[in-house]
Amino acid sequence: MGEAKGISKSLTGIEGFDDLTLGGLPTGRPSLVCGSAGCGKTLFASTFLLNGAREFDEAGVFVTFEERPVDIVSNVASLGFEMDRLIDEDRIVIEHIAVDPAELAEIGEYDLEGLFLRLELAIDQVGAKRIVLDTIESLFSAFTNPAILRAEIRRLFDWLKDKGMTTVITAERGDGSLTRQGLEEYVSDCVILLDHRVHNQISTRRLRIVKYRGTAHGTNEYPFLIDQDGFSVLPVSSLGLNHKVHEDRISSGVPDLDIMLTGGGFHRGTSVLLSGVAGSGKSSLSACFADAACRAGEKALYFSFEESAAQTVRNMRSIGVDLQQWLDKGTLRHIAARPTFYSLEMHLAVMLREVLRFKPTLVVLDPISAFVGNAERQEVQSMLLRMVDFLKSHGITGVFTHLTHSQEGNVETDAGLSSLMDAWILLLNREVNGEFNRELYLLKARGTSHSNQVREFIMSNDGIKLISPYLGEAGALTGSARKAEEGRARRAEIARRTEVQRLAEAIDVRRRKAKAEIEALQAVLDADDNEMRRMQADEETYLAQAATDREDMEKSRRA
């Protein structure tokens, strides 16, 4: 998101929040952060103040009306913030103001003049540009007159504006209103509501920007995280269908599967769904995808919702895939978490954050069906759709495994994601002759011509192989049935060839015998021809001699 024009803004340094607000909090104006106890108000304010001093060279004042300064320093130290160092460097100052209504009642009427003096001294001490007031209810607990209370709240906010302080004020949520007094939200330029809710025994923290004067901002509810890395917010709305497409291919890690696609392998950025019954090989095939990416010198991120990293590594060794080498090298990261550990939105926020930090080219979610039992189908589909859109927008290949509960190969998934995926591989276990045989169907691969034939899915110590089944009159045969039919076919072929050879030899004998008979007959014919020629020659000689004798006889008579 680009920075909005108009009012000036101050970056908070809170991951994701500055994107939602198009630049942070309004500079020189008060912002209200409200919510129930334990939702993260103080941490949000502390992060805003500390990031200002560390990253943006803006000193700050932390005014606390409840916790002691030493407690605040200890609390933020657990998140990696060295607040004590910033205090020693005069970039942060903590002002602890204790307000006791019982003592004030003895003195009489009360106003904020003393507070203004202390704030001004603290601001001048470090040249502060930012200030935090935590929490405002404690300050105004001394006021019993609502009219005076409202007037003093307005005066405090106006005074902070006049001083040009970028201010974060925390407040407890009221009954039927954003705050207990019901006024702070009206005089603040920016109001942020933090919510910590529990549904089906699963807690979720959400943030909503209730108002932001003079600028556009995200208006949805967004999950936020509080962990060892501090306070972070990630926008999780759908990114639309404007993602870039890629022409280059990636390998599945199974050469026989790559061959089934014209051009070899899947397009980069493709969303691949691997669905099948338990034990059909979904996790093994997804591990091959991750292994192939790492072998190509790229990064892979593996989210597992059923197995730990050690268990996944051990299991994959049985098929000749060594994932430990990539974990040690840092090109593969394995994150395991139970589906019930977070809410759906929180899982999504965690996954998106980890993807942005690790920057992989391939992400595996194994299995997505684990979420179905903990939320409504529509919520699961919405969450996963946003994950698919996010990966596509970053050109990341996504591999999603899904557990089906039918051996019949029903082309439907519990999460309703099959239509959202670019490629769909269906894995089945077929029971034939008392044994289960795995089968693989490449149901679809958008943008790629591919084989529509079933393959027998074989896992061994040498990896995964896909074998074409025996196609006969009884259909496609796999496993022992395929081997038995192939053996029968080989024996039939041997018998056929033997019979052909026998017939050929018999014909050859008859041909040779016939040729011998023909030669004998030909010799008789030749002898008869010779005899005929001799008879003709003798006859001609006889006739010639008889003619000569007649001539001689006639001559002798005339003499």
Side-chain angles (χ1 to χ4, degrees), residues 18 93 98 222 417 539:
D18 292 335
V93 62
Y222 303 95
L417 279 181
E539 181 65 19

Side-chain angles (χ1 to χ4, degrees), residues 214-364:
T215 182
H217 59 276
T219 57
N220 295 330
E221 283 191 328
Y222 303 95
F224 66 91
L225 305 179
I226 298 177
D227 56 14
Q228 67 274 12
D229 297 320
F231 195 108
S232 60
V233 184
L234 283 176
V236 293
S237 57
S238 177
L239 301 176
L241 298 174
N242 56 351
H243 52 269
K244 181 182 178 181
V245 297
H246 300 266
E247 296 296 334
D248 59 316
R249 304 296 186 96
I250 67 162
S251 173
S252 66
V254 180
D256 295 329
L257 177 57
D258 294 340
I259 293 174
M260 293 179 68
L261 296 106
T262 302
F266 296 88
H267 285 114
R268 185 178 299 278
T270 293
S271 297
V272 183
L273 176 63
L274 309 178
S275 64
V277 296
S280 58
K282 303 181 298 301
S283 297
S284 299
L285 186 54
S286 63
C288 290
F289 272 92
D291 180 67
C294 294
R295 289 186 182 279
E298 302 176 354
K299 290 183 177 181
L301 184 57
Y302 198 114
F303 292 103
S304 175
F305 306 110
E306 292 182 344
E307 296 180 345
S308 65
Q311 187 176 0
T312 300
V313 169
R314 183 202 64 186
N315 293 346
M316 294 308 109
R317 285 200 189 102
S318 65
I319 60 170
V321 176
D322 182 13
L323 297 181
Q324 187 63 50
Q325 59 177 325
W326 310 124
L327 291 171
D328 296 338
K329 192 176 180 179
T331 55
L332 174 64
R333 187 174 182 189
H334 189 287
I335 299 177
R338 287 293 182 187
T340 54
F341 190 72
Y342 297 124
S343 65
L344 285 177
E345 294 288 0
M346 195 66 70
H347 270 294
L348 178 61
V350 170
M351 290 189 291
L352 297 189
R353 184 186 66 178
E354 295 299 332
V355 170
L356 290 173
R357 291 181 177 180
F358 191 61
K359 295 180 174 56
T361 59
L362 182 134
V363 172
V364 176

